[in-house]
């Protein structure tokens, strides 16, 4: 966590205090202290001891989705730096196991991440394209759902659980402004979110690499 | 012209040629279990509902999830047994997932007729919830010795048995016996 904090401090210094007075524009993002972003994309996670244990216990993967979504709200704190509250969907997998007689047992987990991010903008000759680096820390939660039968005649019982952990997110992106206040963005990076966890202490890394595209809006009035 | 007509008929019939292959290879198939509660999930108090504890002590223990149960065989000797839920004749796939410490003697056995020794048995020597599997020819049809017709309502005579004969850690999380039917043939 220490390196994340240091990187964040460096980013703030680099952008707020030493952001290249030669290239900095006095009207960069003028009148745009607030922002909203919506995006979607694709992500990929690796297998893990957690998944292998499920397979050892007779589960086979029914489906997994690489779909990722992001929602973020931002507030510019100085000319080239903004703070975001960001929400990401992460890994989502479904498993099934033959229960012998009747409907199969099933297990599903869906992981979400949210946190505070710092985004450093790189000065560009004009405002049409903007590049940025982003780093964030926060919480991640895996919603797990096990459906199994506890007696021969009863229907399956569902056991839901929410498991919490942290996440560290790093992204690089570019934003192309289609108007003064609206842009389209493309970013990609890596999320580390070690959740869910089983009773053996094995964790699945629900983050992994991701690529997102979306729309952003910048608005507000500076004083 | 005639050749052309023949060729087009042949082309038209071509899809039909694959139908027998489709029904023969990928045709309807099914898989059924010949014992109940293969995952040791059904507990009636301190005992398994579908398995008989013939001797010894057992305990419900969680595995990777609090609600995914397994059966721990406590002390020794311990014997768990279940009669076959259905008549079966042919190749049965036996899949076991167990965590048995090295040096602890656990065996599983299939007794087709209730007369010792069992027709098939195997040692369980897997720690860390490893999977073991076997394909075994099983004949549990309940055919009487004389010429009388078998009673269709009578329970099949076969049993599957888990036996632990030395003390130590032994947890069984799945013992599944399944038989394929329909389009698939036994391997």
């Amino acid at each position: 966590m220490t390196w994340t904090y240091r990187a964040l401090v460096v980013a703030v210094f680099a952008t707020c205090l030493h952001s290249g007075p030669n290239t900095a524009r006095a009207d960069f993002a003028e009148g745009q202290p607030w922002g909203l972003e919506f995006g979607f994309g694709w992500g990929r996670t690796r297998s893990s001891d957690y998944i292998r244990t499920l397979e050892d216990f007779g589960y086979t993967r029914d489906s997994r989705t690489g779909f990722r979504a992001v929602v973020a709200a931002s507030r510019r704190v100085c000319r080239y730096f903004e703070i975001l509250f960001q929400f990401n969907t992460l890994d989502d997998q479904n498993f099934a196991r033959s229960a012998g007689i009747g409907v199969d047992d099933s297990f599903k987990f869906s992981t979400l991440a949210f946190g505070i991010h710092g985004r450093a903008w790189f000065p560009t000759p004009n405002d049409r394209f903007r590049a940025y680096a982003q780093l964030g820390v926060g919480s991640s939660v895996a919603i797990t759902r096990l459906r199994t039968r506890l007696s021969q005649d009863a229907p399956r019982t569902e056991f839901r659980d929410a498991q919490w952990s942290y996440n560290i997110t790093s992204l690089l992106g570019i934003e192309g402004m289609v108007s003064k206040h609206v842009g389209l963005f493309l970013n990609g990076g890596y999320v580390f979110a070690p959740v869910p966890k089983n009773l053996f202490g094995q964790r699945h890394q629900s983050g992994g690499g991701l690529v997102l595209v979306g729309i952003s809006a910048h608005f507000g009035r500076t004083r | 012209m005639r050749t052309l007509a023949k060729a087009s008929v042949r082309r038209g019939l071509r899809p039909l040629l694959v139908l027998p292959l489709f029904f023969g290879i990928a045709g309807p198939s099914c898989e059924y279990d010949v014992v109940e509660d293969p995952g040791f999930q059904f507990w009636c108090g301190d005992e398994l509902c579908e398995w008989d504890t013939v001797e010894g002590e057992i305990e419900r223990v969680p595995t990777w999830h609090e609600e995914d149960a397994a059966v721990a065989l406590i002390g020794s000797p311990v014997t768990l047994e279940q009669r076959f839920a259905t008549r079966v004749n042919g190749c049965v796939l036996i899949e076991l997932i167990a965590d048995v410490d090295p040096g602890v003697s656990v065996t599983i056995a299939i007794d087709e007729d209730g007369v010792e020794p069992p027709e098939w048995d195997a040692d369980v020597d897997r720690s860390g919830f490893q999977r073991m599997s076997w394909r075994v020819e099983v004949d549990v049809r309940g055919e009487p010795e004389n010429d009388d017709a078998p009673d269709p309502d009578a329970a099949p005579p076969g049993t599957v048995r888990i036996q632990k004969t030395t003390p130590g850690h032994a947890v069984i999380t799945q013992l599944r016996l399944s038989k394929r039917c329909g389009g698939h043939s036994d391997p």
Side-chain angles (χ1 to χ4, degrees):
Chain A
M1 196 66 92
T2 310
W3 66 266
T4 309
Y5 175 73
R6 284 180 185 159
L8 204 58
V9 170
V10 167
V12 172
F13 269 94
T15 55
C16 284
L17 305 178
H18 304 284
S19 61
N22 295 333
T23 53
R25 288 178 46 169
D27 61 344
F28 180 84
E30 185 67 32
Q32 303 176 343
W34 295 96
L36 278 178
E37 289 179 8
F38 304 93
F40 61 90
W42 179 86
R44 178 82 178 165
T45 57
R46 290 184 172 188
S47 191
S48 59
D49 287 344
Y50 182 93
I51 301 296
R52 281 186 282 276
T53 293
L54 281 172
E55 290 165 352
D56 286 344
F57 278 80
Y59 283 91
T60 51
R61 186 186 286 120
D62 254 3
S63 66
R64 74 189 299 184
T65 177
F67 178 80
R68 301 287 186 267
V70 61
V71 178
S74 64
R75 176 72 169 96
R76 198 171 296 272
V77 293
C78 62
R79 191 167 304 279
Y80 289 106
F81 190 81
E82 64 187 14
I83 299 290
L84 298 93
F85 182 77
Q86 184 160 315
F87 171 89
N88 284 78
T89 64
L90 299 178
D91 204 6
D92 184 306
Q93 298 195 32
N94 291 279
F95 298 83
R97 174 178 70 179
S98 171
I101 296 162
V103 187
D104 288 351
D105 290 345
S106 68
F107 178 69
K108 171 186 170 66
F109 69 82
S110 306
T111 308
L112 308 170
F114 52 91
I116 302 291
H117 293 219
R119 176 181 287 175
W121 292 92
F122 298 110
T124 51
N126 58 54
D127 274 354
R128 184 165 286 277
F129 290 100
R130 307 162 165 183
Y132 58 84
Q134 184 174 324
L135 196 63
V137 293
S139 297
S140 52
V141 58
I143 310 295
T144 69
R145 190 184 68 192
L146 173 69
R147 282 181 172 170
T148 187
R149 290 188 308 150
L150 300 180
S151 75
Q152 188 75 281
D153 305 319
R156 290 187 303 171
T157 307
E158 182 173 299
F159 300 96
R160 277 176 181 265
D161 191 19
Q163 299 178 6
W164 292 84
S165 184
Y166 63 93
N167 81 77
I168 300 172
T169 303
S170 59
L171 295 169
L172 289 175
I174 188 165
E175 184 179 46
M177 301 305 291
V178 294
S179 71
K180 188 180 179 189
H181 294 284
V182 177
L184 300 175
F185 70 84
L186 164 69
N187 67 32
Y190 191 82
V191 180
F192 183 72
V195 71
K197 177 185 169 188
N198 64 23
L199 289 188
F200 301 138
Q202 298 163 332
R203 290 179 178 275
H204 177 64
Q205 211 289 73
S206 284
L210 52 79
V211 177
L212 299 162
V213 293
I215 187 165
S216 57
H218 304 273
F219 51 87
R221 185 175 293 278
T222 48
R223 276 175 285 178
Chain B
M1 191 67 171
R2 206 169 159 187
T3 314
L4 193 66
K6 266 186 184 173
S8 58
V9 167
R10 233 181 272 141
R11 267 199 302 274
L13 291 176
R14 205 170 285 163
L16 296 177
L17 295 176
V18 300
L19 281 178
L21 286 173
F22 177 79
F23 285 112
I25 296 168
S29 67
C30 66
E31 192 178 54
Y32 63 91
D33 283 65
V34 297
V35 295
E36 298 186 358
D37 190 22
F40 305 101
Q41 286 285 103
F42 306 160
W43 288 80
C44 298
D46 294 334
E47 294 294 327
L48 282 160
C49 305
E50 305 297 332
W51 293 82
D52 294 326
T53 309
V54 179
E55 60 179 337
E57 189 184 342
I58 61 168
E59 189 182 1
R60 181 193 186 279
V61 289
T63 57
W64 63 277
H65 189 283
E66 198 64 50
E67 300 300 335
D68 188 84
V71 58
L73 311 178
I74 310 295
S76 76
V78 183
T79 304
L80 277 178
E81 200 173 81
Q82 186 183 148
R83 290 186 80 88
F84 277 53
T86 179
R87 295 166 199 281
V88 60
N89 179 30
C91 184
V92 168
L93 175 63
I94 302 173
E95 295 167 286
L96 178 92
I97 302 171
D99 180 20
V100 177
D101 278 355
V104 178
S105 173
V106 175
T107 57
I108 61 168
I110 291 178
D111 183 353
E112 294 179 355
D113 51 14
V115 179
E116 291 291 339
E119 276 66 27
W120 177 85
D121 63 7
D123 292 329
V124 177
D125 57 356
R126 287 289 192 280
S127 59
F129 293 110
Q130 298 287 306
R131 177 185 292 269
M132 299 176 80
S133 65
W134 304 266
R135 291 183 190 277
V136 179
E137 284 293 329
V138 174
D139 184 1
V140 180
R141 286 178 291 183
E143 299 286 0
E145 294 292 328
N146 53 33
D147 291 338
D148 294 342
D151 178 3
D153 297 328
T159 55
V160 58
R161 186 181 307 146
I162 304 167
Q163 204 156 24
K164 181 185 172 208
T165 52
T166 58
H169 176 80
V171 174
I172 314 290
T173 190
Q174 188 189 74
L175 177 54
R176 185 170 181 225
L177 282 72
S178 56
K179 174 99 175 73
R180 281 185 172 178
C181 59
H184 291 280
S185 58
D186 288 329

